[in-house]
Amino acid sequence: MEWLVWIGAGVSVLGLLGIGLSVVQVVRARRAGLDDDALRARLNKVLPLNLGALFLSVIGLMMVVLGVMLA
């Protein structure tokens, strides 16, 4: 089940890249000096990316654990 570990690691890396991208977008939004409503609107656009990336990361880590347990 070594292949499951490597695929899971790849999925986790994709999730971590997505989380990093969402952090960059939030930092840019905060530095833009927007008013409260505009900042909330921009953060609401980043939220689905953040949740999707977190989901990918968790699924990848589950695949790694499952691959290690089955090996």
Side-chain angles (χ1 to χ4, degrees), residues 32-67:
L34 303 172
D35 63 343
D36 193 39
D37 291 332
L39 183 61
R40 283 181 196 267
R42 190 163 307 172
L43 292 181
N44 282 335
K45 289 180 182 177
V46 177
L47 184 65
L49 172 66
N50 191 9
L51 290 176
L54 183 63
F55 176 74
L56 269 180
S57 182
V58 167
I59 293 298
L61 289 174
M62 284 183 193
M63 290 171 68
V64 169
V65 168
L66 186 63

